Amino acid sequence: MTDMTSDRGNGGDRMDTRRINWAEFIERAGLVFLLIGVIVLFSILRPNTFATYANFRSITTAQPVMAVAALALIVPLVGGRFDVSVGAILGLCAIACASAMSHFGLPLAVAVVIGIGMGAFIGLINGFIVAYLGVNSIIGTLGVATILGGVVTGYTKGIPISSGLSPVLTDISIQTIAGLPLLLILMAIIAVITWFVLTQTPYGRNLTAVGANAESARLTGIRTKRVVMSSFVLSGVLAGAAGVLQIGSQGNAGPQLVGITFILPALAAAFLGATTWQPGKFTVQGTLIGIFFLGTTISGLSLVGIQPWITDVFNGSAVVLAIALSAQLRRRRTGTLDIGS
């Protein structure tokens, strides 16, 4: 009799375990299922326009810049900090790179180094303000973003830089390798490098430890201030790379890039990514799923004829919902709700 009760108990435990495993799987893959659902829905609604190679190429050419910008956002987020200035850094670096070629006649390689180097420098300033001056990361980087927006507007007088740019850079939006857009391939390379740094190096583990509990990380010997500052430098480098890619994507560099509206999809993708793959954690894989979910949805909505203002509503709603969901998952994982301290 006791054995039968024990068997029933063991059977119940196994069923509970299966339920937990299924629930965990659905939570991890939920955004992937949503992406597949969106693709199926719009393929049915617009089979002649959405479900085509041309539309696939359009999406995979349009999203890489936002994807790299989103990767720039998640690096400080892994460390528990928030870089609001990523969009402004992206715009400034695009202007710096374009100006180096157009106004100063410098070769492409030097211009790219200048653009990415500018991002690293602004990231260093952000990191110093947050890590060593103790300024809240949202407030500090918002101030820096405002300054950069003024600098870009003052320098460009509101006019995009489009002449004198290297065709090697401006033509990458139409280049393909094995049928895949070159921009997509460059994005994948950057994503793999970012993933490696965040997950396969002592620095990445230290940054994760700081994000989980900065005081505990400090007590274990991690130099938390240096780790936090370097996360902003790496974020600036990625934002600079996104700025260079943006020139290739649209063929010029304009002051409109520094606005918060431009970076909203990347912001939404960063937090949507924390609701999937490894819920409660900011990951490269989740972020990429998030950016292509948003890009695919916007493409489908555009093809069914929505008004342009709905795109802003969708992006803004996605940001709010994604932050709320990822914050709750973070609280469940770490016991805290602090983001952007």
Side-chain angles (χ1 to χ4, degrees):
M1 191 74 172
T2 302
D3 291 342
M4 291 177 65
T5 303
S6 176
D7 288 343
R8 291 193 192 100
N10 291 336
D13 289 344
R14 285 194 294 271
M15 289 181 66
D16 289 341
T17 300
R18 284 196 292 268
R19 289 193 193 102
I20 292 171
N21 289 340
W22 270 108
E24 183 179 345
F25 172 75
I26 291 171
E27 184 179 45
R28 287 174 176 269
L31 193 59
V32 176
F33 291 146
L34 280 175
L35 174 58
I36 294 171
V38 164
I39 293 172
V40 172
L41 174 63
F42 288 118
S43 295
I44 294 171
L45 293 176
R46 291 291 184 272
N48 296 326
T49 52
F50 182 85
T52 63
Y53 172 76
N55 189 51
F56 161 77
R57 178 168 176 175
S58 175
I59 293 171
T60 54
T61 301
Q63 298 311 311
V65 174
M66 282 297 104
V68 177
L71 296 179
L73 282 165
I74 70 167
V75 175
L77 284 168
V78 169
R81 305 302 188 274
F82 202 147
D83 190 350
V84 183
S85 67
V86 164
I89 296 175
L90 185 158
L92 178 68
C93 293
I95 294 295
C97 180
S99 179
M101 290 182 283
S102 179
H103 298 165
F104 298 95
L106 296 176
L108 174 61
V110 176
V112 170
V113 170
I114 289 173
I116 296 177
M118 181 69 73
F121 176 69
I122 301 301
L124 182 65
I125 294 173
N126 280 336
F128 179 79
I129 291 172
V130 173
Y132 289 94
L133 298 185
V135 178
N136 176 276
S137 61
I138 295 177
I139 301 301
T141 57
L142 179 61
V144 170
T146 304
I147 293 170
L148 297 182
V151 169
V152 167
T153 301
Y155 181 78
T156 63
K157 303 296 188 295
I159 302 172
I161 300 174
S162 57
S163 63
L165 306 180
S166 170
V168 174
L169 179 59
T170 56
D171 288 350
I172 63 173
S173 62
I174 60 174
Q175 299 296 324
T176 61
I177 296 179
L180 295 174
L182 179 56
L183 274 171
L184 183 68
I185 294 172
L186 293 173
M187 178 214 74
I189 293 171
I190 294 171
V192 169
I193 294 172
T194 306
W195 169 83
F196 182 84
V197 171
L198 292 179
T199 64
Q200 305 299 310
T201 65
Y203 170 76
R205 291 188 285 273
N206 289 344
L207 183 62
T208 301
V210 171
N213 191 313
E215 183 59 20
S216 296
R218 186 186 66 81
L219 292 176
T220 61
I222 296 174
R223 305 177 74 170
T224 56
K225 291 182 178 180
R226 178 176 292 185
V227 169
V228 169
M229 184 171 74
S230 59
S231 72
F232 282 94
V233 175
L234 180 54
S235 176
V237 168
L238 289 169
V244 173
L245 291 180
Q246 177 64 18
I247 299 174
S249 176
Q250 68 177 27
N252 62 59
Q256 78 281 358
L257 300 179
V258 299
I260 187 65
T261 303
F262 176 77
I263 208 68
L264 272 180
L267 184 60
F271 282 94
L272 274 175
T275 68
T276 190
W277 200 269
Q278 292 180 278
K281 294 184 178 182
F282 296 99
T283 64
V284 170
Q285 301 96 316
T287 300
L288 295 182
I289 294 170
I291 203 74
F292 282 101
F293 167 74
L294 292 170
T296 302
T297 304
I298 291 296
S299 173
L301 291 173
S302 299
L303 290 174
V304 298
I306 64 161
Q307 296 295 317
W309 60 268
I310 296 180
T311 298
D312 291 337
V313 172
F314 175 79
N315 284 332
S317 300
V319 169
V320 175
L321 180 62
I323 290 177
L325 287 174
S326 62
Q328 293 305 315
L329 290 168
R330 179 182 175 86
R331 182 175 66 175
R332 190 174 69 180
R333 181 173 63 89
T334 66
T336 66
L337 263 177
D338 295 333
I339 293 178
S341 58

